[in-house]
Amino acid sequence: MEWKQLIDEAISASGQAYVPYSNFKVGAALLTADNTIYRGCNIENASYGLTNCAERTAVFKAVSEGAKKIKAIAVVGNTDGPIAPCGACRQVLAEFCGADTQIILANLKGDFVVTTINELLPGYFSAKDLQNN
Ligand SMILES: O=c1ccn([C@H]2C[C@H](O)[C@@H](CO)O2)c(=O)[nH]1
Ligand SMILES: [Zn+2]
């Protein structure tokens, strides 16, 4: 599986985006440890704060099917540079991405960067912070 293929899957997923309020389509595609691809799009709501981003849709689809180990995830939007996941998505990704998970941030012009959760959310809150409870 190459980055380009995962990016193409994410672009394809963005076609299902439900974005009547922002008109900003985002797609995500992730590859699990067993080489399955799960895709997601952003899904907005008239109560704006209930919007679910594309990355979280893809992660929740995978986890709800029993796939909790993400090898790589691509996120694509129509941005000037590579898209920037929101803080909520970074925290959710931190739960299921290892230090070596490739997080590919891209746009529709073909720009992309490959990064990691530690770069995106250094010092993220995790299970180890709950160990005194
Ligand atoms: O990485 C991102 C950034 C934004 N959005 C969505 C949320 C909302 O529907 C729209 C505008 O914020 O873009 C995503 O899905 N992923
Ligand atoms: Zn988000």
Side-chain angles (χ1 to χ4, degrees), residues 59-114:
V59 169
F60 294 154
K61 282 176 67 178
V63 174
S64 66
E65 295 296 330
K68 294 187 204 57
K69 219 171 159 350
I70 301 173
K71 288 206 291 198
I73 178 168
V75 189
V76 185
N78 188 17
T79 40
D80 279 340
I83 195 165
C86 79
C89 287
R90 291 175 196 224
Q91 181 64 36
V92 168
L93 286 170
E95 190 76 27
F96 300 104
C97 291
D100 55 349
T101 299
Q102 295 175 324
I103 302 177
I104 304 148
L105 306 176
N107 65 13
L108 296 178
K109 295 184 291 186
D111 302 317
F112 71 93
V113 292
V114 184

Side-chain angles (χ1 to χ4, degrees), residues 21-37:
Y21 307 107
S22 74
N23 201 34
F24 184 73
K25 294 182 178 186
V26 184
L30 65 81
L31 182 69
T32 62
D34 66 353
N35 289 323
T36 303
I37 291 177

Side-chain angles (χ1 to χ4, degrees), residues 18-19 22 24-27 41-44 51-56 75 83-86 89:
Y18 175 75
V19 289
S22 74
F24 184 73
K25 294 182 178 186
V26 184
C41 60
N42 51 336
I43 303 169
E44 298 186 342
T51 291
N52 208 61
C53 295
E55 307 88 303
R56 276 178 291 148
V75 189
I83 195 165
C86 79
C89 287

Side-chain angles (χ1 to χ4, degrees), residues 3-28:
W3 295 331
K4 172 84 170 66
Q5 194 183 338
L6 211 53
I7 290 170
D8 284 345
E9 291 281 355
I11 292 170
S12 171
S14 73
Q16 299 295 340
Y18 175 75
V19 289
Y21 307 107
S22 74
N23 201 34
F24 184 73
K25 294 182 178 186
V26 184

Side-chain angles (χ1 to χ4, degrees), residues 10 15 17 19 33 38 58 75 77 92 115-116 121:
V19 289
Y38 290 89
V75 189
V92 168
T115 185
T116 63
L121 193 61

